[in-house]
Amino acid sequence: MKLEGQVRIPSGCAISAVISREGTRMSGESVIKSMIPMHDRSNGLGGGFAAYGIYPEHREEYAFHIFFDDNTTRRECEALLKESFEIVEAELIPIRIIPEITDIPHIWRYFVRPLGSVLARLQLDEKEFVVRTVMDINTRLKGAHVFSSGKNMGTFKAVGYPEDVGRFYRLEEYGAYSWTSHGRYPTNTPGWWGGAHPFALLDWSIVHNGEISSYDANRRCIEMYGYKCNLQTDTEVITYIADYLLRRQGLTLEEMASVIAAPFWSTIRTREPDAARQLTYLRTVYPSLLITGPFSIILGFNGGLMALNDRLKLRSMVTAEKDDKVFIASEEAAIRVMAPDAENLYAPMGGEPFIVKVKEGAY
């Protein structure tokens, strides 16, 4: 039997990201390669990427990426979309057939605009209407799954190792100012295409390494506000919490971090009075959205990224910089693949949000 220190046990799942502060678009090639040294953190049951700025010619339309089991379901879903949206363009997402990716569903994307008459009748803003449409399709339409629904961004995921998933989706052909990536090691759910990361809703996307022990409390809370947790995975819940706190409640990124990775009460008591009052307020108003257990996440959004560890930092995450680019990953090795001479290596503390934004007007 091998002793402690003689065998490497990876800490489940790999995350990696790169963003250009100047809004410079980069191909997906380097972020794909960043996942290779973290290969052992995955087990081939899920990999994926989120890319921002990839659809400039459709920047005003929502890009729905949808998995279909068959063409009958696709036609049914298209009929549903036509009732409430103008479909500007619909097409199969280009893929590269490779032996490592099998059991491929029909993968389509739709660039859509909600009809103004429908929004007026329902008295909803377009983002809320898009969220309700995504929930409706994913809950009621068997054999269809909307896995991306933002503007000028898209997620690409599958069952497989992330480096293979990147080749499968031909991500080297896309240009994005921000990329996030994930290699999955599922612990409580089977690996399937919809369950791979990133999880996305509107412009938010989440890649996650960890396993939250507060899943059931978080799920029951967020479902009170109309979200439907169909996939039984903690990353789905984190994505909906982000949408609820940032879009519907209007919290800042820092305030959201102080909800989901709230400081301990003993820590709050040591803060300055104004900061202590704010943290006490957030813990009191949103107690069921505190995420407990080990996690490191990267939240992608239009114009930036936020990385966050659980308050005890039970999962690894490091950041670095080079020129106008900022890198985030589970391991330094992943960053060195993207930028061998990266500088300012930093490991954020538990509960400390690390936020990077693109220069105003550059995306």
Side-chain angles (χ1 to χ4, degrees), residues 152-223:
N152 200 16
M153 60 82 63
T155 61
F156 304 85
K157 58 186 186 177
V159 173
Y161 285 99
E163 55 268 37
D164 298 325
V165 173
R167 289 191 300 119
F168 171 77
Y169 278 109
R170 297 160 51 174
L171 296 186
E172 73 280 359
E173 299 175 11
Y174 291 80
Y177 63 80
S178 174
W179 290 90
T180 69
S181 57
H182 186 266
R184 191 174 186 217
Y185 201 117
T187 51
N188 292 321
T189 53
W192 75 287
W193 287 66
H197 303 198
F199 278 80
L201 185 66
L202 295 174
D203 304 330
W204 319 114
S205 66
I206 292 280
V207 291
H208 166 218
N209 167 25
E211 183 176 357
I212 63 175
S213 54
S214 56
Y215 168 77
D216 197 50
N218 299 149
R219 177 190 58 78
R220 284 186 281 113
C221 178
I222 206 67
E223 286 190 337

Side-chain angles (χ1 to χ4, degrees), residues 63-251:
F64 281 19
H65 292 190
I66 309 180
F67 293 135
F68 296 113
D69 285 353
D70 51 51
N71 281 321
T72 300
T73 306
R74 176 180 60 81
R75 287 189 288 268
E76 186 179 350
C77 183
E78 288 178 356
L80 187 151
L81 289 174
K82 287 176 182 176
E83 292 178 359
S84 304
F85 293 86
E86 174 192 357
I87 299 179
V88 177
E89 188 174 331
E91 62 183 358
L92 282 163
I93 292 181
I95 60 172
R96 176 184 289 118
I97 300 299
I98 58 175
E100 293 86 355
I101 306 295
T102 59
D103 301 320
I104 303 168
H106 300 261
I107 314 172
W108 281 70
R109 64 181 164 211
Y110 300 84
F111 296 100
V112 301
R113 292 193 184 106
L115 296 177
S117 57
V118 174
L119 298 179
R121 175 171 55 84
L122 296 175
Q123 298 185 24
L124 294 173
D125 66 58
E126 64 175 34
K127 288 187 175 181
E128 180 62 24
F129 180 67
V130 168
V131 167
R132 295 189 185 190
T133 299
V134 170
M135 296 294 157
D136 192 44
I137 292 173
N138 290 351
T139 301
R140 294 198 303 111
L141 195 56
K142 184 176 174 57
H145 180 72
V146 182
F147 64 98
S148 188
S149 54
K151 284 185 175 181
N152 200 16
M153 60 82 63
T155 61
F156 304 85
K157 58 186 186 177
V159 173
Y161 285 99
E163 55 268 37
D164 298 325
V165 173
R167 289 191 300 119
F168 171 77
Y169 278 109
R170 297 160 51 174
L171 296 186
E172 73 280 359
E173 299 175 11
Y174 291 80
Y177 63 80
S178 174
W179 290 90
T180 69
S181 57
H182 186 266
R184 191 174 186 217
Y185 201 117
T187 51
N188 292 321
T189 53
W192 75 287
W193 287 66
H197 303 198
F199 278 80
L201 185 66
L202 295 174
D203 304 330
W204 319 114
S205 66
I206 292 280
V207 291
H208 166 218
N209 167 25
E211 183 176 357
I212 63 175
S213 54
S214 56
Y215 168 77
D216 197 50
N218 299 149
R219 177 190 58 78
R220 284 186 281 113
C221 178
I222 206 67
E223 286 190 337
M224 292 193 300
Y225 303 109
Y227 298 90
K228 304 294 183 185
C229 299
N230 300 308
L231 303 180
Q232 306 301 309
T233 119
D234 43 16
T235 314
E236 178 187 34
V237 173
I238 297 172
T239 306
Y240 298 162
I241 289 174
D243 179 67
Y244 175 72
L245 293 175
L246 296 171
R247 179 180 63 89
R248 292 177 59 176
Q249 295 293 293
L251 269 59

